Structures are given as C-alpha cells and as structure tokens.
Amino acid sequence: MTLVLEAEKLCVERSGKRVLQDITFDVRAGEAFALLGGNGAGKSTTLLTLLGFLAPAAGTVRVNGRAVQDDVAAARAAIAYLPEAAALYGHLSARENLRYFLSLAGAPSSAEAIETALDSVSLETAARANRLSEYSKGMRQKVAIALALLREAPILLLDEPTSGLDPVAIDEFHALVRRLAGAGKSVLMVTHDVYGACQVAHRIALLRKGELVGRFTAPENGRIDTEVVHAAFVGRQAA
Ligand SMILES: Nc1ncnc2c1ncn2[C@@H]1O[C@H](COP(=O)(O)OP(=O)(O)O)[C@@H](O)[C@H]1O
Ligand SMILES: [Mg+2]
C-alpha cells in the first residue's frame, strides 16, 4: 500500500507553544482522509507542516515517502493546497483567474484544459466569463478546486473547504471530492464538520487540542457513522 502523506510522532510549536503533540497518521494513494477537529485543534498547522512552511519540533512528516525537510520543493510539487481563504481575483473571470495563476506558477494551461477542469468541478458554462465578484462562495470554491486540478498534483490538501457554503453547495463539493478520490487523487481534507468528514472520508482522525484522540474507518462501500464520530468529537459515549 503506497503512503503519500505521513506524520510520525509529529510535534509542532508555534510562538513557543506546543500545538501538535505526537501526531501519527498516514494517507494512502487514492484515499480521501479527513482530519477532524474544533477551532485551534491544529488542523491548519498540520497542513502547513506537510507543506514545509512549519518545521517539526520533533517527529517527521513525509510526502511520497520522503521527509519534507529533505526536499521541500518535491513535497510542494506533489501537492495542490487549497487554503482556508483561497486568494482569487474578484475583478477577473474564472477563466482569467485560472490563466493568470497557472502562468504565475510557471505551468500555463491550454484553453481546452481550463474548460475541462471547469467541467470537472461542474461550474456552469454561462458563468465562466463573469467576474468572480459576482460568484457565490460555492462557485469561487469550484474555481479554486479547478486551479488545484490544473496543477496536476496527485495530492490535494483542503483546509475547511466547505465553510461558508450552503447545504446544496456542500453536497456538491463532497461529491466532487469523492469523485476525485475515485479518479486516483489522494485527498487530505481538514474540517470541523462531522457530517462532511463522514460524507467524504474513507478514514477520519479526530484531533483535539493538538492530540489525536480518535480514529475511524469506513466499512467497505459504506460511510463512517456520523453519530459515533459526533459523540467522540463532543466527548461523550455513543448512545
Ligand atoms: N500564526 C500563528 N502563530 C502562533 N500560534 C498560532 C498561529 N496560528 C495558529 N496558532 C495556534 O496554533 C494552534 C493551532 O491552530 P490551527 O492549526 O490554526 O488550528 P485549526 O486549524 O485546527 O483551527 C492554536 O492554539 C492557535 O492559536
Ligand atoms: Mg484552520
């Protein structure tokens, strides 16, 4: 089984404070994995460490089997990262944003590739020439995902990708993430949303105040039980 992301006994400090303590988990190739936890649990910190923006105080993070500290460029090249607040330009259209950010990344894409990516995130064709300032948050999120797809990185890191979306947009987004995993992408999504984690993930790790306090695995062709995870999240026994 190929492991694309690994954290092993990972400890991270920020401003001299220990914010991750002995975190161990891995993400397999083609898997959708959710790191679930409340505000301040250390979810974003975990992603920033996998990207090499923060260094472990102890322990290791690996991307495709290689310690991130040993080759930050290789780690980042393998990963498309969707930050909490994706920075796209409101005065540009979806197509213009994609063209601009891809050329900035030194990876220009053809017009056809851009349309294909926008197709795969189901952004309405009629909206593609409109400015992003006219878009709903869900539509902007689709553009951000399309950008991540056009980077053709095999690993996706998604930081709270559905916060601020309405339930229809959330369902659509979760279906998209599952499709991507089905198509071979490896996805690590961090979220505080129990329902979303259960909708999307083959496995969930529950993070509380910098420590991993629970692990859940979906049954074959099934979903992880929302009630069980919810109970663990809020800290009581499942009924
Ligand atoms: N830039 C920062 N400098 C110092 N401490 C930070 C910074 N960002 C976050 N923290 C602290 O690190 C801990 C984990 O934060 P974070 O990883 O952002 O949590 P989450 O993404 O789960 O909400 C929190 O205690 C938070 O206050
Ligand atoms: Mg965060």
Side-chain angles (χ1 to χ4, degrees):
M1 181 144 343
T2 312
L3 301 179
V4 294
L5 298 172
E6 295 163 84
E8 193 180 324
K9 294 188 170 14
L10 172 66
C11 300
V12 175
E13 292 176 356
R14 301 189 79 166
S15 307
K17 187 178 130 208
R18 186 61 66 99
V19 297
L20 290 177
Q21 179 67 32
D22 268 327
I23 300 298
T24 298
F25 71 93
D26 54 64
V27 178
R28 301 167 185 155
E31 175 179 39
F33 190 101
L35 193 57
L36 176 71
N39 293 329
K43 304 181 298 295
S44 296
T45 298
T46 305
L47 298 188
L48 293 173
T49 309
L50 287 164
L51 287 159
F53 291 116
L54 294 171
T60 319
V61 278
R62 290 187 207 93
V63 173
N64 290 325
R66 177 125 202 231
V68 173
Q69 306 93 291
D70 290 350
D71 195 343
V72 174
R76 289 185 194 160
I79 293 173
Y81 167 51
L82 191 64
E84 261 186 286
L88 297 167
Y89 284 112
H91 66 283
L92 298 180
S93 73
R95 291 183 181 114
E96 289 165 340
N97 265 286
L98 294 178
R99 215 179 306 137
Y100 175 72
F101 281 102
L102 289 163
S103 63
L104 206 62
S109 281
S110 66
E112 292 91 323
I114 287 177
E115 293 315 303
T116 304
L118 291 171
D119 288 343
S120 68
V121 298
S122 312
L123 185 78
E124 300 88 311
T125 311
R128 292 178 190 180
N130 298 346
R131 296 159 169 253
L132 254 63
S133 56
E134 296 162 19
Y135 278 29
S136 66
K137 171 136 198 235
M139 290 164 74
R140 280 199 296 274
Q141 205 65 327
K142 287 179 178 177
V143 179
I145 288 277
L147 179 58
L149 294 179
L150 284 160
R151 296 248 347 266
E152 291 184 354
I155 306 168
L156 291 175
L157 301 188
L158 310 174
D159 196 342
E160 309 263 9
T162 59
S163 68
L165 302 189
D166 69 45
V168 173
I170 288 176
D171 268 3
E172 243 187 85
F173 186 84
H174 289 153
L176 171 62
V177 172
R178 288 185 75 92
R179 273 206 308 285
L180 293 174
K185 298 274 184 192
S186 309
V187 182
L188 173 58
M189 177 171 98
V190 312
T191 182
H192 57 247
D193 176 28
V194 173
Y195 174 78
C198 292
Q199 282 288 300
V200 160
H202 301 108
R203 291 188 297 156
I204 296 175
L206 177 60
L207 192 60
R208 181 181 297 139
K209 293 183 181 157
E211 295 188 50
L212 273 190
V213 296
R215 293 172 193 276
F216 309 89
T217 303
E220 189 106 22
N221 299 318
R223 303 274 167 92
I224 297 168
D225 187 333
T226 310
E227 285 297 320
V228 171
V229 179
H230 178 83
F233 193 140
V234 302
R236 61 172 164 74
Q237 297 289 310

mmCIF file of all heavy atoms in Angstrom, residues 192-231:
data_model
loop_
_atom_site.group_PDB
_atom_site.id
_atom_site.type_symbol
_atom_site.label_atom_id
_atom_site.label_comp_id
_atom_site.label_asym_id
_atom_site.label_seq_id
_atom_site.Cartn_x
_atom_site.Cartn_y
_atom_site.Cartn_z
ATOM 1 N N HIS A 192 -14.029 21.043 10.577
ATOM 2 C CA HIS A 192 -14.655 20.863 11.893
ATOM 3 C C HIS A 192 -16.044 20.238 11.722
ATOM 4 O O HIS A 192 -16.776 20.073 12.683
ATOM 5 C CB HIS A 192 -14.747 22.198 12.644
ATOM 6 C CG HIS A 192 -15.479 23.261 11.898
ATOM 7 N ND1 HIS A 192 -14.871 24.400 11.414
ATOM 8 C CD2 HIS A 192 -16.766 23.344 11.511
ATOM 9 C CE1 HIS A 192 -15.763 25.122 10.772
ATOM 10 N NE2 HIS A 192 -16.917 24.504 10.807
ATOM 11 N N ASP A 193 -16.386 19.890 10.473
ATOM 12 C CA ASP A 193 -17.728 19.407 10.151
ATOM 13 C C ASP A 193 -17.786 17.876 10.162
ATOM 14 O O ASP A 193 -17.290 17.218 9.247
ATOM 15 C CB ASP A 193 -18.128 19.961 8.787
ATOM 16 C CG ASP A 193 -19.472 19.435 8.329
ATOM 17 O OD1 ASP A 193 -20.314 19.115 9.189
ATOM 18 O OD2 ASP A 193 -19.673 19.328 7.111
ATOM 19 N N VAL A 194 -18.411 17.333 11.195
ATOM 20 C CA VAL A 194 -18.509 15.869 11.358
ATOM 21 C C VAL A 194 -19.211 15.248 10.153
ATOM 22 O O VAL A 194 -18.741 14.264 9.576
ATOM 23 C CB VAL A 194 -19.290 15.516 12.647
ATOM 24 C CG1 VAL A 194 -19.536 14.011 12.722
ATOM 25 C CG2 VAL A 194 -18.541 16.001 13.878
ATOM 26 N N TYR A 195 -20.333 15.839 9.790
ATOM 27 C CA TYR A 195 -21.123 15.292 8.687
ATOM 28 C C TYR A 195 -20.290 15.245 7.402
ATOM 29 O O TYR A 195 -20.255 14.232 6.698
ATOM 30 C CB TYR A 195 -22.378 16.151 8.499
ATOM 31 C CG TYR A 195 -23.206 15.784 7.297
ATOM 32 C CD1 TYR A 195 -24.043 14.672 7.336
ATOM 33 C CD2 TYR A 195 -23.144 16.533 6.123
ATOM 34 C CE1 TYR A 195 -24.806 14.325 6.231
ATOM 35 C CE2 TYR A 195 -23.901 16.198 5.018
ATOM 36 C CZ TYR A 195 -24.730 15.093 5.072
ATOM 37 O OH TYR A 195 -25.471 14.752 3.980
ATOM 38 N N GLY A 196 -19.600 16.354 7.126
ATOM 39 C CA GLY A 196 -18.790 16.421 5.908
ATOM 40 C C GLY A 196 -17.674 15.398 5.913
ATOM 41 O O GLY A 196 -17.422 14.722 4.906
ATOM 42 N N ALA A 197 -17.016 15.268 7.058
ATOM 43 C CA ALA A 197 -15.934 14.287 7.154
ATOM 44 C C ALA A 197 -16.472 12.886 6.865
ATOM 45 O O ALA A 197 -15.857 12.104 6.137
ATOM 46 C CB ALA A 197 -15.286 14.359 8.539
ATOM 47 N N CYS A 198 -17.651 12.585 7.406
ATOM 48 C CA CYS A 198 -18.234 11.248 7.210
ATOM 49 C C CYS A 198 -18.718 11.055 5.772
ATOM 50 O O CYS A 198 -18.708 9.933 5.251
ATOM 51 C CB CYS A 198 -19.380 11.017 8.197
ATOM 52 S SG CYS A 198 -18.831 10.904 9.912
ATOM 53 N N GLN A 199 -19.170 12.118 5.137
ATOM 54 C CA GLN A 199 -19.608 12.038 3.746
ATOM 55 C C GLN A 199 -18.452 11.681 2.819
ATOM 56 O O GLN A 199 -18.622 10.976 1.833
ATOM 57 C CB GLN A 199 -20.166 13.404 3.295
ATOM 58 C CG GLN A 199 -21.555 13.708 3.779
ATOM 59 C CD GLN A 199 -22.576 12.877 3.064
ATOM 60 O OE1 GLN A 199 -22.698 12.952 1.856
ATOM 61 N NE2 GLN A 199 -23.273 12.058 3.803
ATOM 62 N N VAL A 200 -17.283 12.236 3.138
ATOM 63 C CA VAL A 200 -16.174 12.215 2.192
ATOM 64 C C VAL A 200 -15.153 11.119 2.464
ATOM 65 O O VAL A 200 -14.639 10.498 1.542
ATOM 66 C CB VAL A 200 -15.471 13.601 2.226
ATOM 67 C CG1 VAL A 200 -14.076 13.525 1.673
ATOM 68 C CG2 VAL A 200 -16.307 14.624 1.479
ATOM 69 N N ALA A 201 -14.880 10.874 3.738
ATOM 70 C CA ALA A 201 -13.619 10.200 4.064
ATOM 71 C C ALA A 201 -13.728 8.688 4.172
ATOM 72 O O ALA A 201 -14.690 8.151 4.702
ATOM 73 C CB ALA A 201 -13.065 10.755 5.371
ATOM 74 N N HIS A 202 -12.695 8.015 3.681
ATOM 75 C CA HIS A 202 -12.512 6.594 3.953
ATOM 76 C C HIS A 202 -12.042 6.403 5.393
ATOM 77 O O HIS A 202 -12.397 5.433 6.043
ATOM 78 C CB HIS A 202 -11.481 5.996 2.991
ATOM 79 C CG HIS A 202 -11.861 6.151 1.553
ATOM 80 N ND1 HIS A 202 -11.221 7.017 0.696
ATOM 81 C CD2 HIS A 202 -12.850 5.575 0.830
ATOM 82 C CE1 HIS A 202 -11.784 6.941 -0.507
ATOM 83 N NE2 HIS A 202 -12.776 6.091 -0.454
ATOM 84 N N ARG A 203 -11.215 7.335 5.848
ATOM 85 C CA ARG A 203 -10.772 7.291 7.239
ATOM 86 C C ARG A 203 -10.790 8.705 7.814
ATOM 87 O O ARG A 203 -10.571 9.687 7.097
ATOM 88 C CB ARG A 203 -9.357 6.710 7.345
ATOM 89 C CG ARG A 203 -9.314 5.214 7.000
ATOM 90 C CD ARG A 203 -7.952 4.625 7.305
ATOM 91 N NE ARG A 203 -6.922 5.255 6.481
ATOM 92 C CZ ARG A 203 -5.646 5.303 6.809
ATOM 93 N NH1 ARG A 203 -5.204 4.785 7.926
ATOM 94 N NH2 ARG A 203 -4.774 5.870 5.981
ATOM 95 N N ILE A 204 -11.042 8.772 9.116
ATOM 96 C CA ILE A 204 -11.052 10.045 9.834
ATOM 97 C C ILE A 204 -10.124 9.925 11.033
ATOM 98 O O ILE A 204 -10.131 8.903 11.719
ATOM 99 C CB ILE A 204 -12.472 10.392 10.352
ATOM 100 C CG1 ILE A 204 -13.450 10.592 9.183
ATOM 101 C CG2 ILE A 204 -12.451 11.631 11.243
ATOM 102 C CD1 ILE A 204 -14.899 10.814 9.630
ATOM 103 N N ALA A 205 -9.350 10.982 11.281
ATOM 104 C CA ALA A 205 -8.622 11.088 12.538
ATOM 105 C C ALA A 205 -9.168 12.315 13.261
ATOM 106 O O ALA A 205 -9.389 13.360 12.648
ATOM 107 C CB ALA A 205 -7.120 11.231 12.301
ATOM 108 N N LEU A 206 -9.431 12.135 14.543
ATOM 109 C CA LEU A 206 -10.011 13.216 15.345
ATOM 110 C C LEU A 206 -8.910 13.886 16.163
ATOM 111 O O LEU A 206 -8.196 13.228 16.927
ATOM 112 C CB LEU A 206 -11.090 12.627 16.267
ATOM 113 C CG LEU A 206 -11.782 13.578 17.239
ATOM 114 C CD1 LEU A 206 -12.487 14.713 16.502
ATOM 115 C CD2 LEU A 206 -12.776 12.799 18.101
ATOM 116 N N LEU A 207 -8.802 15.187 15.973
ATOM 117 C CA LEU A 207 -7.744 15.966 16.616
ATOM 118 C C LEU A 207 -8.375 16.857 17.683
ATOM 119 O O LEU A 207 -9.373 17.536 17.415
ATOM 120 C CB LEU A 207 -7.077 16.824 15.530
ATOM 121 C CG LEU A 207 -5.767 17.540 15.796
ATOM 122 C CD1 LEU A 207 -4.661 16.557 16.159
ATOM 123 C CD2 LEU A 207 -5.354 18.341 14.563
ATOM 124 N N ARG A 208 -7.814 16.801 18.887
ATOM 125 C CA ARG A 208 -8.316 17.687 19.942
ATOM 126 C C ARG A 208 -7.140 18.327 20.656
ATOM 127 O O ARG A 208 -6.277 17.623 21.178
ATOM 128 C CB ARG A 208 -9.184 16.893 20.937
ATOM 129 C CG ARG A 208 -9.755 17.767 22.048
ATOM 130 C CD ARG A 208 -10.588 16.973 23.052
ATOM 131 N NE ARG A 208 -11.741 16.395 22.403
ATOM 132 C CZ ARG A 208 -12.191 15.156 22.632
ATOM 133 N NH1 ARG A 208 -11.567 14.373 23.477
ATOM 134 N NH2 ARG A 208 -13.256 14.711 22.005
ATOM 135 N N LYS A 209 -7.098 19.637 20.638
ATOM 136 C CA LYS A 209 -6.021 20.394 21.303
ATOM 137 C C LYS A 209 -4.647 19.819 20.995
ATOM 138 O O LYS A 209 -3.836 19.585 21.884
ATOM 139 C CB LYS A 209 -6.257 20.436 22.814
ATOM 140 C CG LYS A 209 -7.485 21.259 23.179
ATOM 141 C CD LYS A 209 -7.658 21.349 24.673
ATOM 142 C CE LYS A 209 -8.917 22.154 25.017
ATOM 143 N NZ LYS A 209 -9.426 21.832 26.347
ATOM 144 N N GLY A 210 -4.416 19.551 19.706
ATOM 145 C CA GLY A 210 -3.088 19.131 19.293
ATOM 146 C C GLY A 210 -2.789 17.658 19.449
ATOM 147 O O GLY A 210 -1.689 17.212 19.145
ATOM 148 N N GLU A 211 -3.777 16.883 19.920
ATOM 149 C CA GLU A 211 -3.543 15.446 20.060
ATOM 150 C C GLU A 211 -4.582 14.654 19.276
ATOM 151 O O GLU A 211 -5.744 15.047 19.198
ATOM 152 C CB GLU A 211 -3.612 15.037 21.540
ATOM 153 C CG GLU A 211 -2.502 15.675 22.351
ATOM 154 C CD GLU A 211 -2.434 15.126 23.768
ATOM 155 O OE1 GLU A 211 -2.419 13.889 23.920
ATOM 156 O OE2 GLU A 211 -2.403 15.939 24.698
ATOM 157 N N LEU A 212 -4.156 13.521 18.717
ATOM 158 C CA LEU A 212 -5.095 12.637 18.021
ATOM 159 C C LEU A 212 -5.807 11.787 19.058
ATOM 160 O O LEU A 212 -5.162 11.032 19.801
ATOM 161 C CB LEU A 212 -4.355 11.737 17.022
ATOM 162 C CG LEU A 212 -4.141 12.311 15.624
ATOM 163 C CD1 LEU A 212 -3.638 11.236 14.695
ATOM 164 C CD2 LEU A 212 -5.415 12.932 15.089
ATOM 165 N N VAL A 213 -7.114 11.923 19.112
ATOM 166 C CA VAL A 213 -7.866 11.235 20.169
ATOM 167 C C VAL A 213 -8.854 10.203 19.626
ATOM 168 O O VAL A 213 -9.528 9.540 20.412
ATOM 169 C CB VAL A 213 -8.621 12.258 21.062
ATOM 170 C CG1 VAL A 213 -7.618 13.149 21.795
ATOM 171 C CG2 VAL A 213 -9.589 13.112 20.245
ATOM 172 N N GLY A 214 -8.930 10.053 18.309
ATOM 173 C CA GLY A 214 -9.839 9.039 17.776
ATOM 174 C C GLY A 214 -9.537 8.745 16.322
ATOM 175 O O GLY A 214 -9.009 9.595 15.602
ATOM 176 N N ARG A 215 -9.847 7.518 15.926
ATOM 177 C CA ARG A 215 -9.662 7.109 14.528
ATOM 178 C C ARG A 215 -10.877 6.307 14.092
ATOM 179 O O ARG A 215 -11.390 5.487 14.851
ATOM 180 C CB ARG A 215 -8.415 6.230 14.382
ATOM 181 C CG ARG A 215 -7.116 6.959 14.645
ATOM 182 C CD ARG A 215 -5.957 5.963 14.682
ATOM 183 N NE ARG A 215 -4.783 6.590 15.233
ATOM 184 C CZ ARG A 215 -3.926 7.324 14.521
ATOM 185 N NH1 ARG A 215 -4.103 7.500 13.232
ATOM 186 N NH2 ARG A 215 -2.880 7.869 15.099
ATOM 187 N N PHE A 216 -11.301 6.532 12.872
ATOM 188 C CA PHE A 216 -12.499 5.885 12.355
ATOM 189 C C PHE A 216 -12.243 5.443 10.922
ATOM 190 O O PHE A 216 -11.585 6.158 10.170
ATOM 191 C CB PHE A 216 -13.696 6.853 12.384
ATOM 192 C CG PHE A 216 -13.888 7.495 13.729
ATOM 193 C CD1 PHE A 216 -13.231 8.684 14.038
ATOM 194 C CD2 PHE A 216 -14.683 6.889 14.686
ATOM 195 C CE1 PHE A 216 -13.373 9.272 15.290
ATOM 196 C CE2 PHE A 216 -14.835 7.470 15.940
ATOM 197 C CZ PHE A 216 -14.185 8.661 16.245
ATOM 198 N N THR A 217 -12.773 4.288 10.558
ATOM 199 C CA THR A 217 -12.585 3.753 9.214
ATOM 200 C C THR A 217 -13.934 3.364 8.638
ATOM 201 O O THR A 217 -14.753 2.749 9.331
ATOM 202 C CB THR A 217 -11.673 2.507 9.251
ATOM 203 O OG1 THR A 217 -10.430 2.880 9.850
ATOM 204 C CG2 THR A 217 -11.409 1.964 7.851
ATOM 205 N N ALA A 218 -14.170 3.734 7.395
ATOM 206 C CA ALA A 218 -15.438 3.388 6.746
ATOM 207 C C ALA A 218 -15.468 1.901 6.438
ATOM 208 O O ALA A 218 -14.448 1.323 6.078
ATOM 209 C CB ALA A 218 -15.600 4.198 5.463
ATOM 210 N N PRO A 219 -16.657 1.279 6.568
ATOM 211 C CA PRO A 219 -16.787 -0.106 6.117
ATOM 212 C C PRO A 219 -16.685 -0.153 4.594
ATOM 213 O O PRO A 219 -16.848 0.877 3.932
ATOM 214 C CB PRO A 219 -18.198 -0.500 6.569
ATOM 215 C CG PRO A 219 -18.931 0.794 6.725
ATOM 216 C CD PRO A 219 -17.904 1.839 7.076
ATOM 217 N N GLU A 220 -16.389 -1.315 4.078
ATOM 218 C CA GLU A 220 -16.301 -1.494 2.626
ATOM 219 C C GLU A 220 -17.565 -0.939 1.963
ATOM 220 O O GLU A 220 -18.674 -1.309 2.343
ATOM 221 C CB GLU A 220 -16.163 -2.986 2.327
ATOM 222 C CG GLU A 220 -15.846 -3.297 0.895
ATOM 223 C CD GLU A 220 -14.385 -3.728 0.733
ATOM 224 O OE1 GLU A 220 -13.773 -4.167 1.733
ATOM 225 O OE2 GLU A 220 -13.877 -3.611 -0.382
ATOM 226 N N ASN A 221 -17.389 -0.045 0.994
ATOM 227 C CA ASN A 221 -18.510 0.551 0.254
ATOM 228 C C ASN A 221 -19.527 1.259 1.143
ATOM 229 O O ASN A 221 -20.686 1.405 0.767
ATOM 230 C CB ASN A 221 -19.252 -0.498 -0.593
ATOM 231 C CG ASN A 221 -18.343 -1.117 -1.632
ATOM 232 O OD1 ASN A 221 -17.561 -0.405 -2.263
ATOM 233 N ND2 ASN A 221 -18.414 -2.420 -1.785
ATOM 234 N N GLY A 222 -19.100 1.673 2.335
ATOM 235 C CA GLY A 222 -20.030 2.382 3.216
ATOM 236 C C GLY A 222 -19.405 3.661 3.739
ATOM 237 O O GLY A 222 -18.319 4.056 3.316
ATOM 238 N N ARG A 223 -20.144 4.305 4.647
ATOM 239 C CA ARG A 223 -19.679 5.552 5.240
ATOM 240 C C ARG A 223 -19.422 5.360 6.727
ATOM 241 O O ARG A 223 -20.018 4.499 7.363
ATOM 242 C CB ARG A 223 -20.767 6.635 5.081
ATOM 243 C CG ARG A 223 -21.201 6.898 3.653
ATOM 244 C CD ARG A 223 -20.299 7.919 2.990
ATOM 245 N NE ARG A 223 -20.519 7.929 1.550
ATOM 246 C CZ ARG A 223 -21.386 8.724 0.932
ATOM 247 N NH1 ARG A 223 -22.091 9.580 1.612
ATOM 248 N NH2 ARG A 223 -21.523 8.668 -0.369
ATOM 249 N N ILE A 224 -18.568 6.213 7.254
ATOM 250 C CA ILE A 224 -18.346 6.230 8.694
ATOM 251 C C ILE A 224 -19.606 6.795 9.354
ATOM 252 O O ILE A 224 -20.242 7.714 8.823
ATOM 253 C CB ILE A 224 -17.093 7.079 9.020
ATOM 254 C CG1 ILE A 224 -15.856 6.430 8.378
ATOM 255 C CG2 ILE A 224 -16.915 7.228 10.525
ATOM 256 C CD1 ILE A 224 -14.612 7.299 8.386
ATOM 257 N N ASP A 225 -19.974 6.232 10.498
ATOM 258 C CA ASP A 225 -21.210 6.594 11.191
ATOM 259 C C ASP A 225 -21.093 7.987 11.838
ATOM 260 O O ASP A 225 -20.294 8.191 12.746
ATOM 261 C CB ASP A 225 -21.495 5.535 12.262
ATOM 262 C CG ASP A 225 -22.857 5.728 12.914
ATOM 263 O OD1 ASP A 225 -23.355 6.872 12.963
ATOM 264 O OD2 ASP A 225 -23.416 4.722 13.381
ATOM 265 N N THR A 226 -21.918 8.903 11.367
ATOM 266 C CA THR A 226 -21.879 10.288 11.847
ATOM 267 C C THR A 226 -22.124 10.381 13.358
ATOM 268 O O THR A 226 -21.472 11.162 14.051
ATOM 269 C CB THR A 226 -22.946 11.125 11.113
ATOM 270 O OG1 THR A 226 -22.801 10.901 9.724
ATOM 271 C CG2 THR A 226 -22.793 12.599 11.394
ATOM 272 N N GLU A 227 -23.058 9.571 13.852
ATOM 273 C CA GLU A 227 -23.403 9.617 15.292
ATOM 274 C C GLU A 227 -22.201 9.263 16.161
ATOM 275 O O GLU A 227 -21.942 9.899 17.176
ATOM 276 C CB GLU A 227 -24.530 8.617 15.588
ATOM 277 C CG GLU A 227 -25.897 9.068 15.125
ATOM 278 C CD GLU A 227 -26.343 10.335 15.844
ATOM 279 O OE1 GLU A 227 -26.100 10.446 17.073
ATOM 280 O OE2 GLU A 227 -26.910 11.204 15.174
ATOM 281 N N VAL A 228 -21.493 8.231 15.740
ATOM 282 C CA VAL A 228 -20.344 7.757 16.514
ATOM 283 C C VAL A 228 -19.244 8.823 16.549
ATOM 284 O O VAL A 228 -18.659 9.121 17.593
ATOM 285 C CB VAL A 228 -19.800 6.436 15.904
ATOM 286 C CG1 VAL A 228 -18.487 6.027 16.550
ATOM 287 C CG2 VAL A 228 -20.842 5.331 16.039
ATOM 288 N N VAL A 229 -19.006 9.419 15.385
ATOM 289 C CA VAL A 229 -17.945 10.427 15.315
ATOM 290 C C VAL A 229 -18.357 11.687 16.082
ATOM 291 O O VAL A 229 -17.558 12.278 16.805
ATOM 292 C CB VAL A 229 -17.618 10.765 13.841
ATOM 293 C CG1 VAL A 229 -16.532 11.836 13.768
ATOM 294 C CG2 VAL A 229 -17.169 9.509 13.101
ATOM 295 N N HIS A 230 -19.618 12.049 15.939
ATOM 296 C CA HIS A 230 -20.122 13.227 16.656
ATOM 297 C C HIS A 230 -19.943 13.050 18.165
ATOM 298 O O HIS A 230 -19.479 13.963 18.863
ATOM 299 C CB HIS A 230 -21.600 13.456 16.317
ATOM 300 C CG HIS A 230 -22.205 14.610 17.055
ATOM 301 N ND1 HIS A 230 -22.078 15.916 16.637
ATOM 302 C CD2 HIS A 230 -22.899 14.652 18.217
ATOM 303 C CE1 HIS A 230 -22.684 16.708 17.501
ATOM 304 N NE2 HIS A 230 -23.195 15.969 18.465
ATOM 305 N N ALA A 231 -20.309 11.876 18.649
ATOM 306 C CA ALA A 231 -20.191 11.602 20.087
ATOM 307 C C ALA A 231 -18.735 11.713 20.544
ATOM 308 O O ALA A 231 -18.441 12.291 21.593
ATOM 309 C CB ALA A 231 -20.748 10.215 20.400
#
